[in-house]
């Protein structure tokens, strides 16, 4: 009896009570639990709790009666067996709650099978999954926008009808004309800027795709600038992966771009003494932007930080090299010093227009530096150390606080 | 959320679910916390029943979570039931569910079922090493040693690296058995340690020792000991293998270092062809050296001193016994500056040969090349662990050779703590004259072991040994 009572007390305290308190239904549930106690006391000895009326294995019958999952068996006959098997595995992973995209194309499935290791497979799937997620949310947003616009139009048509659209259209097309005029000018008189397209062998397919994306961004920001560069894509091979990706992005416009694309090397086009290869590994630091020089940027995304690849290229050709003076102007905090191609473009354009390093280096991502250098460097360094020390202490404090919080939570749970 | 202590009725689950802030994931969260709090499976069952009744379907992930709970509590019959249900509902299972079932079954008296399951997994994918681990442990536990060995070999052919746990199980359960076949297997494991330069940890070492001592009629005795620089075991006074590479290994290593480390994908990344050629002729004309010194690395030993003074002291320290020295540096050392005094550099150049690389070249690659070209007796001095160079080597066999060679030829140089003017300025930590690897002569075994379970640094080698020898 005693032990049964203890058990009951525990039951009340542990199971029902916290929920009741938590959700403010104290009275309701408590009366329920009290009835439970009573019934239990009555049946004391037979040791049957009321919930044992439940058939705990009932779910098994239900599950067994159900037919086989349709999704797992739905494999198209045209697919070869390995593909079908891979598709099944993906489906099971998705059911198990891993990060797996819902829709996988055959091409993606083939890449998946070709992944050399388990972790490579996982990474690839996660990449696809996130891509799908982004696409979905993008789609949802555009639809919402559409709806809102329709609503707006409806409400607007009721009141009045301003004809602004044609004007807007005219404006964008004329702006395009102006841009194109400027770029055409730069192709005759402008300062050349070379993108070295000889790094395809050093990159994975995804890195090449990223490179092309960054190049597209660079090109567009160059086109919109007041005084554009004359962009050269050198060492560009037709039917290379670069070419394919560019066509994916530009489609028909690829042939009409106002840039120079050539399979020649820049050393064949320009005098060697005018060329400067920009690379983060260079021991020389750029002091000023020289309007008579031709700067070369390596079209390469290296996610695995392949140090010295572009420096090796410059060394091989015997070219002068330079790195941006990031250390000199910025208090670097983290991240690699190699910047994306569009950031390089922004920086170079700003330098070309103003020659102001501070303005130009605004385009370095904010997460990579803590501030601009305007005091003597050693003073700033001590300040930075102090900040870091404080941060560390703060983090420790936070940890301690969190621990205390968790600990008190644990106590209340008991 | 804290799971309830006892099974609940459908209405009660409904109420809980509604009070939960995100009802869509209520079941998932509830199962997770059941696993965390190790709730009774009756509670989980009641939730499953509730779900089956209300929407007549239970998702795969929830079934797997329930399975995890059953495995955690060793409920064998439930595991079998869930497996039957999964098999009925789904054409294939994924690795997570398989892992759980194999683990659950192998720990029970139905462990043979786990073996059939392993066969089933093999049809769909390569089983993980955890699968093999469960099965091998189960087989060992039931004294089916041949079966365990078969599984172990199967695993090796699939390029899975066995965990040290598996190997320990073998030693633990073969204790006291007189079975020559099995004995051969276990010696095979020890040779596997040797080939892959794996050092057992303390508990594994103890298992090995106990196994040796338990072999009936062979009279093995095990002792723990430290082996000093001479390489002689203090217990059985056996001389350990010396650390020299064989002729073949040596040639292979030098060839690979030139190919992978110095040239790599692009010679220009570390040096340039002209420079490398110049260095080659420089070295060939002056061979052989006794000690090759990484000048820049050594020059940073004492931060308070001028860099050239540090180097000067090190060169003086090493220049005894007419040793032929080669110092590698960069061109900027020749320019008179606050850290590099021209007079001191001049004086040093009388005592040692110097090669100055371009300022943007890597001198470490030259260090390796010059040492290897000078022959087996040549040593090198740097505090660098050369891990990045080891990483450039393409296959693991060459990397092992590199580590072995490095152990035998690298002299570490350190600042001495007592900076008395009259004593030598540096402590030289000599290279090992003997090889630190599992080794045997038939009647003796010497096994280096680690004190801690996880060894963090690949360059650090154990100094403690297990000496095993037979008494007649």
């Amino acid at each position: 009896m005693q032990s049964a009572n203890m058990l009951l007390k525990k039951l009340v305290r542990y199971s029902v009570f916290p929920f009741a308190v938590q959700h403010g239904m104290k009275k309701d549930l408590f009366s329920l639990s009290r009835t439970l106690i009573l019934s239990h006391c009555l049946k004391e000895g037979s040791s049957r709790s009321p919930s044992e009326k439940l058939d705990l294995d009932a779910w098994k019958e239900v599950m067994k009666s159900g037919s086989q999952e349709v999704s797992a068996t739905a494999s198209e006959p045209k697919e070869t067996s390995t593909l079908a098997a891979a598709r099944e595995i993906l489906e099971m992973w998705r059911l198990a709650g891993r990060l797996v995209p819902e829709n996988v194309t055959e091409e993606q499935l083939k890449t998946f099978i070709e992944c050399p290791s388990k972790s490579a497979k996982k990474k690839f799937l996660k990449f696809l999954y996130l891509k799908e997620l982004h696409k979905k949310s993008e789609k949802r947003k555009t639809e919402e926008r559409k709806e809102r616009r329709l609503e707006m139009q409806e409400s607007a048509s009721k009141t009045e009808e301003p004809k602004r659209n044609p004007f807007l259209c005219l404006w964008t097309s004329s702006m395009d004309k102006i841009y194109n005029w400027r770029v055409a000018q730069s192709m005759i008189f402008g300062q050349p800027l070379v993108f070295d397209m000889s790094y395809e062998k050093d990159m994975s397919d995804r890195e090449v795709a990223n490179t092309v994306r960054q190049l597209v961004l660079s090109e567009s920001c160059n086109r919109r600038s007041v005084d554009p560069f004359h962009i050269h894509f050198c060492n560009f091979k037709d039917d290379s992966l670069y070419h394919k990706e560019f066509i994916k992005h530009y489609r028909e416009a690829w042939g009409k771009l106002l840039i120079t694309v050539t399979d020649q090397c820049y050393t064949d086009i320009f005098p060697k003494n005018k060329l400067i290869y920009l690379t983060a590994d260079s021991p020389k630091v750029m002091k000023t932007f020289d309007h008579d020089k031709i700067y070369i940027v390596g079209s390469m995304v290296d996610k695995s930080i392949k140090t010295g690849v572009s420096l090796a290229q410059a060394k091989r050709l015997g070219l002068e090299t330079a790195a941006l003076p990031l250390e000199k102007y910025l208090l670097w905090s983290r991240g690699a010093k190699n910047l994306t191609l569009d950031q390089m473009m922004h920086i170079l354009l700003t330098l070309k227009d103003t020659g102001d390093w501070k303005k130009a280096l605004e385009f370095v991502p904010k997460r990579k530096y803590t501030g601009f250098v305007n005091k003597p460097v050693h003073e700033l360094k001590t300040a930075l150390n102090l900040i870091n020390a404080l941060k560390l202490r703060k983090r420790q404090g936070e940890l301690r606080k969190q621990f205390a919080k968790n600990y008190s939570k644990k106590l209340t749970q008991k | 959320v804290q799971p309830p202590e006892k099974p609940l009725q459908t209405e009660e689950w409904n109420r809980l679910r509604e009070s939960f802030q995100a009802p869509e994931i209520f079941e998932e969260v509830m199962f997770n916390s059941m696993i965390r709090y190790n709730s009774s499976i009756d509670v989980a069952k009641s939730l499953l029943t509730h779900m089956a009744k209300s929407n007549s379907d239970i998702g795969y992930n929830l079934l797997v979570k329930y399975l995890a709970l059953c495995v955690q509590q060793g409920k064998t019959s439930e595991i079998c039931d869930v497996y039957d249900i999964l098999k009925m509902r789904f054409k294939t299972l994924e690795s997570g569910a398989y892992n759980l079932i194999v683990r659950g079954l192998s720990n029970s008296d139905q462990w043979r079922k786990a073996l059939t399951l392993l066969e089933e997994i093999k049809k769909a994918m390569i089983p993980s090493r955890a699968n093999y681990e469960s099965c091998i442990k189960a087989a060992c536990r039931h004294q089916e040693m041949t079966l365990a060995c078969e599984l172990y070999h199967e695993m090796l052919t699939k390029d899975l690296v066995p965990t040290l746990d598996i190997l320990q199980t073998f030693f633990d359960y073969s204790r006291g058995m007189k079975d020559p076949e099995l004995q051969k297997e276990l010696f095979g494991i020890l040779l596997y340690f040797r080939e892959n330069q794996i050092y057992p940890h303390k508990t594994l070492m103890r298992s090995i020792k106990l196994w040796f001592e338990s072999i009936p009629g062979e009279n093995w005795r095990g002792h723990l000991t430290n082996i000093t620089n001479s390489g002689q075991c203090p217990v059985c006074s056996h001389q350990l293998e010396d650390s020299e590479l064989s002729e073949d290994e040596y040639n292979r290593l030098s060839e690979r270092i030139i190919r992978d480390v110095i040239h790599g994908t692009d010679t220009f990344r570390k040096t340039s062809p002209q420079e490398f050629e110049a260095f080659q002729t420089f070295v060939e004309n002056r061979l052989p050296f006794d000690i090759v010194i990484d000048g820049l690395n050594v020059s940073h030993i004492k931060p308070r001193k001028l860099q050239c003074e540090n180097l000067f002291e090190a060169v003086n320290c090493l220049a005894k016994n007419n040793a032929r020295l080669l110092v590698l540096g960069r061109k900027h050392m020749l320019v008179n500056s606050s850290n590099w005094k021209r007079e001191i550099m001049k004086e040093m150049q009388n005592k040692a040969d110097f090669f100055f690389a371009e300022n943007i070249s890597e001198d470490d690659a030259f260090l390796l090349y010059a040492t290897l070209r000078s022959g087996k007796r040549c040593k090198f001095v740097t505090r660098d662990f050369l891990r990045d160079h080891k990483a450039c080597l393409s296959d693991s066999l060459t990397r092992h050779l590199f580590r072995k060679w490095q152990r035998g030829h690298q002299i570490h140089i350190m600042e001495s703590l007592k900076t008395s003017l009259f004593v030598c300025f540096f402590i030289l930590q000599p290279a090992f004259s003997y090889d630190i690897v599992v080794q045997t002569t038939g009647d003796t075994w010497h096994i280096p072991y680690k004190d801690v379970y996880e060894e963090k640094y690949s360059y650090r080698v154990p100094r403690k040994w297990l000496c095993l020898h037979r008494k007649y």
Side-chain angles (χ1 to χ4, degrees):
Chain A
M1 186 70 203
Q2 182 109 35
S3 63
N5 268 340
M6 286 284 281
L7 188 80
L8 280 171
K9 265 183 202 162
K10 263 190 188 166
L11 275 180
V12 173
R13 201 187 322 149
Y14 280 147
S15 59
V16 191
F17 193 60
F19 286 115
V21 172
Q22 211 172 325
H23 307 299
M25 310 186 293
K26 200 170 176 178
K27 259 183 193 164
D28 277 13
L29 265 176
F30 210 69
S31 63
L32 179 83
S33 65
R34 197 170 295 151
T35 55
L36 285 180
I37 295 166
L38 281 176
S39 61
H40 199 279
C41 281
L42 288 173
K43 284 176 188 166
E44 204 263 336
S46 63
S47 82
R48 277 189 52 173
S49 83
S51 50
E52 255 179 66
K53 283 180 288 180
L54 268 169
D55 180 10
L56 287 174
D57 289 333
W59 62 277
K60 285 181 190 166
E61 296 311 312
V62 177
M63 289 305 284
K64 278 176 186 165
S65 67
S67 62
Q68 204 170 44
E69 201 74 356
V70 203
S71 52
T73 51
S75 57
E76 288 136 45
K78 63 171 182 178
E79 280 182 349
T80 52
S81 60
T82 47
L83 281 182
R87 210 173 266 281
E88 259 169 39
I89 286 177
L90 286 191
E91 182 57 29
M92 288 320 286
W93 280 357
R94 207 172 65 78
L95 285 178
R98 294 210 208 172
L99 303 183
V100 174
E102 250 176 77
N103 305 308
V104 183
T105 64
E106 204 155 309
E107 205 177 323
Q108 287 167 338
L109 210 58
K110 271 177 196 153
T111 346
F112 168 74
I113 292 169
E114 278 160 19
C115 283
S117 66
K118 268 187 191 171
S119 59
K121 281 181 183 177
K122 260 188 215 167
K123 253 186 209 166
F124 179 65
L125 286 179
K126 192 180 170 190
F127 164 69
L128 291 182
Y129 171 78
L130 289 177
K131 211 167 136 187
E132 197 180 73
L133 213 66
H134 276 297
K135 242 186 198 163
K136 269 187 197 162
S137 70
E138 205 58 37
K139 211 174 175 183
R140 208 194 56 232
K141 271 181 199 162
T142 46
E143 259 162 36
E144 277 175 8
R145 230 175 284 144
K146 214 177 181 180
E147 248 171 56
R148 224 177 299 141
R149 208 187 304 141
L150 277 177
E151 268 174 36
M152 287 273 278
Q153 268 178 2
E154 257 172 44
S155 60
S157 59
K158 276 174 197 166
T159 50
E160 56 186 308
E161 252 176 66
K163 280 197 173 179
R164 284 183 66 188
N165 270 4
F167 176 66
L168 202 74
C169 231
L170 203 73
W171 191 64
T172 45
S173 75
S174 63
M175 278 314 277
D176 273 347
K177 263 182 201 155
I178 293 173
Y179 290 147
N180 282 340
W181 173 247
R182 273 190 201 149
V183 182
Q185 286 267 312
S186 86
M187 281 191 78
I188 306 169
F189 306 111
Q191 182 179 5
L193 178 71
V194 178
F195 283 98
D196 181 3
M197 314 290 276
S198 59
Y199 295 107
E200 197 175 297
K201 59 183 190 312
D202 293 305
M203 287 188 281
S204 67
D205 293 2
R206 242 164 89 189
E207 282 171 336
V208 173
N210 290 347
T211 308
V212 168
R213 207 183 141 74
Q214 291 178 12
L215 284 172
V216 170
L217 287 173
S218 320
E219 191 271 329
S220 82
C221 98
N222 182 56
R223 194 186 330 154
R224 272 152 229 272
S225 73
V226 188
D227 182 15
F229 283 108
H230 175 194
I231 294 181
H232 286 70
F233 286 167
C234 288
N235 293 323
F236 188 92
K237 304 270 180 305
D238 279 341
D239 301 320
S240 58
L241 212 54
Y242 279 125
H243 192 181
K244 270 183 216 154
E245 287 289 330
F246 269 120
I247 286 175
K248 242 190 225 172
H249 271 281
Y250 281 113
R251 306 214 179 125
E252 306 86 62
W254 170 246
K256 296 177 202 154
L257 281 181
L258 293 173
I259 55 177
T260 304
V261 180
T262 167
D263 61 347
Q264 278 181 302
C265 188
Y266 29 84
T267 46
D268 300 333
I269 308 174
F270 305 107
K272 251 189 184 181
N273 55 4
K274 278 203 162 185
L275 292 169
I276 294 182
Y277 211 114
L278 293 177
T279 161
D281 297 318
S282 172
K284 279 191 203 111
V285 172
M286 201 168 152
K287 285 206 179 72
T288 51
F289 182 86
D290 193 337
H291 294 270
D292 294 328
K293 295 277 186 191
I294 295 148
Y295 290 96
I296 308 165
V297 180
S299 304
M300 178 182 178
V301 170
D302 53 339
K303 288 196 167 155
S304 52
I305 311 285
K306 297 185 194 77
T307 315
V309 173
S310 53
L311 185 66
Q313 171 86 345
K315 253 202 245 173
R316 186 184 356 260
L317 299 169
L319 299 178
E320 206 180 314
T321 59
L324 293 183
L326 299 172
E327 292 271 76
K328 195 178 159 198
Y329 289 95
L330 300 173
L331 268 171
W332 202 261
S333 68
R334 65 177 138 171
K337 297 231 169 66
N338 48 3
L339 302 174
T340 63
L341 300 173
D342 50 314
Q343 285 159 12
M344 273 314 271
M345 190 57 147
H346 276 294
I347 290 171
L348 290 175
L349 280 172
T350 320
L351 281 178
K352 189 170 178 236
D353 288 346
T354 62
D356 184 352
W357 278 107
K358 213 173 158 183
K359 228 180 197 172
L361 294 181
E362 289 279 347
F363 290 101
V364 177
K366 294 276 180 293
R367 65 173 188 282
K368 288 194 176 184
Y369 64 94
T370 44
F372 276 90
V373 176
N374 42 15
K375 290 180 204 166
V377 176
H378 65 271
E379 217 174 282
L380 275 166
K381 272 205 176 136
T382 50
L384 193 69
N385 284 341
L386 197 71
I387 289 168
N388 281 339
L390 282 174
K391 253 190 209 163
L392 198 71
R393 210 178 301 155
K394 202 172 150 198
R395 205 179 303 146
Q396 277 172 347
E398 265 167 24
L399 277 179
R400 218 173 291 138
K401 234 183 259 168
Q402 203 164 14
F403 174 75
K405 211 166 127 194
N406 283 343
Y407 190 68
S408 62
K409 211 190 261 172
K410 250 183 214 165
L411 282 182
T412 51
Q413 273 168 356
K414 277 180 188 158
Chain B
V1 264
Q2 199 168 11
E5 286 270 310
K6 58 180 182 55
L8 297 185
Q9 299 281 1
T10 306
E11 310 88 66
E12 292 169 293
W13 278 120
N14 268 335
R15 210 172 303 154
L16 267 185
R17 190 187 143 102
E18 275 151 29
S19 63
F20 188 68
Q21 65 253 33
E24 319 81 64
I25 56 162
F26 169 72
E27 285 89 3
E28 234 181 300
V29 174
M30 189 47 92
F31 267 112
N32 282 344
S33 69
M34 278 182 199
I35 293 170
R36 189 166 351 114
Y37 290 98
N38 205 9
S39 309
S40 132
I41 59 164
D42 283 348
V43 181
K45 273 182 180 177
S46 79
L47 177 55
L48 285 175
T49 307
H50 156 66
M51 285 168 64
K53 277 184 184 162
S54 53
N55 52 7
S56 74
D57 190 36
I58 299 166
Y60 177 81
N61 57 337
L62 297 181
L63 284 175
V64 172
K65 279 183 178 147
Y66 175 62
L67 191 62
L69 191 67
C70 295
V71 170
Q72 197 169 303
Q73 299 178 4
K75 301 274 198 267
T76 314
S77 64
E78 278 304 306
I79 295 170
C80 294
D81 279 356
V82 177
Y83 174 60
D84 288 341
I85 288 170
L86 284 174
K87 267 321 255 189
M88 256 172 74
R89 306 277 309 206
F90 303 99
K91 208 172 162 194
T92 52
L93 305 187
E94 48 79 60
S95 49
Y98 275 131
N99 278 348
L100 283 168
I101 299 169
V102 169
R103 184 146 58 92
L105 290 180
S106 63
N107 283 329
S108 71
D109 49 351
Q110 301 212 30
W111 63 278
R112 278 186 192 279
K113 255 194 182 167
L115 295 178
T116 52
L117 229 106
L118 193 69
E119 293 301 316
E120 196 185 308
I121 298 172
K122 270 185 237 163
K123 280 179 208 155
M125 57 196 119
I126 299 171
S128 68
R129 69 176 188 169
N131 292 152
Y132 275 109
E133 184 175 334
S134 312
C135 291
I136 290 175
K137 276 185 174 172
C140 282
R141 218 176 287 127
H142 295 88
Q143 293 295 317
E144 296 255 4
M145 297 315 279
T146 29
L147 177 64
C149 291
E150 266 170 38
L151 286 172
Y152 171 67
H153 286 295
E154 191 181 304
M155 181 175 178
L156 290 184
T157 54
K158 291 201 158 87
D159 277 339
L160 294 169
V161 180
T163 58
L164 292 184
D165 254 23
I166 295 181
L167 304 179
Q168 188 176 354
T169 323
F170 273 112
F171 284 104
D172 280 344
Y173 285 97
S174 331
R175 218 172 279 165
M177 278 201 232
K178 178 96 185 150
D179 179 355
E181 276 302 307
L182 181 62
Q183 201 166 325
K184 229 168 98 190
E185 282 292 336
L186 294 179
F187 285 143
I189 293 177
L190 291 175
L191 292 177
Y192 175 82
F193 284 148
R194 179 186 168 86
E195 272 151 33
N196 296 292
Q197 298 191 16
I198 299 169
Y199 306 117
H201 51 83
K202 215 171 182 176
T203 38
L204 176 51
M205 178 275 299
R206 213 166 280 142
S207 298
I208 295 172
K209 180 169 176 277
L210 287 175
W211 174 72
F212 265 103
E213 288 172 344
S214 77
I215 303 173
E218 294 208 354
N219 237 340
W220 287 94
R221 286 281 162 276
H223 296 276
L224 305 185
T225 177
N226 289 314
I227 291 178
T228 48
N229 291 337
S230 66
Q232 198 182 35
C233 171
V235 181
C236 61
S237 56
H238 168 72
Q239 183 67 36
L240 294 182
E241 279 175 45
D242 78 71
S243 59
E244 287 310 330
L245 303 182
S246 73
E247 202 61 44
D248 272 357
E249 289 173 330
Y250 198 84
N251 292 338
R252 182 194 165 94
L253 182 65
S254 5
E255 201 180 288
R256 284 301 167 87
I257 287 212
I258 293 173
R259 200 190 74 188
D260 293 344
V261 179
I262 298 175
H263 293 304
T265 51
D266 187 353
T267 316
F268 283 97
R269 276 176 77 170
K270 284 184 177 158
T271 166
S272 67
Q274 295 92 327
E275 191 183 31
F276 185 59
E277 213 169 285
F279 178 68
Q280 267 179 318
T281 47
F282 173 88
V283 171
E284 299 299 328
N285 289 338
R286 288 169 177 77
L287 282 176
F289 297 103
D290 293 317
I291 299 173
V292 183
I293 303 165
D294 183 349
L296 279 172
N297 186 296
V298 167
S299 71
H300 286 282
I301 288 179
K302 289 183 195 169
R304 298 250 170 89
K305 283 212 161 179
L306 291 188
Q307 288 171 10
C308 62
E309 282 179 13
N310 273 329
L311 185 58
F312 188 63
E313 279 171 19
V315 168
N316 277 341
C317 201
L318 292 162
K320 286 163 195 158
N321 315 326
N322 292 326
R324 285 179 55 76
L325 303 181
L326 169 65
V327 181
L328 295 170
R330 294 214 180 100
K331 289 213 165 123
H332 71 79
M333 290 156 74
L334 285 171
V335 181
N336 202 11
S337 65
S338 58
N339 255 324
W340 297 100
K341 296 275 174 261
R342 189 164 287 159
E343 311 82 67
I344 299 179
M345 290 302 285
K346 276 262 165 61
E347 206 180 328
M348 261 193 284
Q349 287 182 42
N350 294 329
K351 294 192 176 178
D353 278 314
F354 273 75
F355 182 84
F356 297 99
E358 292 294 333
N359 291 340
I360 48 172
S361 295
E362 269 196 39
D363 47 358
D364 285 356
F366 292 150
L367 177 85
L368 296 178
Y369 177 77
T371 316
L372 280 166
R373 273 301 290 142
S374 296
K376 290 180 176 179
R377 277 184 50 245
C378 181
K379 308 265 194 289
F380 64 96
V381 183
T382 176
R383 289 186 301 170
D384 198 300
F385 296 116
L386 306 175
R387 281 173 288 198
D388 46 344
H389 302 295
K390 192 185 91 177
C392 290
L393 294 168
S394 48
D395 58 323
S396 65
L397 185 68
T398 324
R399 281 201 285 268
H400 284 317
L401 285 182
F402 182 76
R403 289 279 297 121
K404 184 174 171 180
W405 175 76
Q406 190 189 358
R407 280 202 299 269
H409 293 85
Q410 181 167 18
I411 300 174
H412 289 273
I413 190 161
M414 276 176 283
E415 188 186 353
S416 75
L417 292 174
K418 293 172 283 178
T419 36
S420 154
L421 275 174
F422 306 104
V423 203
C424 175
F425 285 94
F426 299 113
I427 300 169
L428 293 178
Q429 200 184 63
F432 291 100
S433 61
Y434 57 95
D435 196 16
I436 297 170
V437 73
V438 175
Q439 43 194 281
T440 180
T441 57
D443 275 345
T444 60
W445 278 90
H446 285 89
I447 300 168
Y449 68 91
K450 303 182 286 194
D451 252 337
V452 277
Y453 188 80
E454 279 293 329
E455 188 65 71
K456 230 175 161 181
Y457 308 103
S458 69
Y459 56 84
R460 207 173 274 171
V461 284
R463 308 301 302 270
K464 295 190 172 171
W465 290 75
L466 168 65
C467 161
L468 292 154
H469 56 105
R470 280 163 96 165
K471 270 198 180 145
Y472 292 105

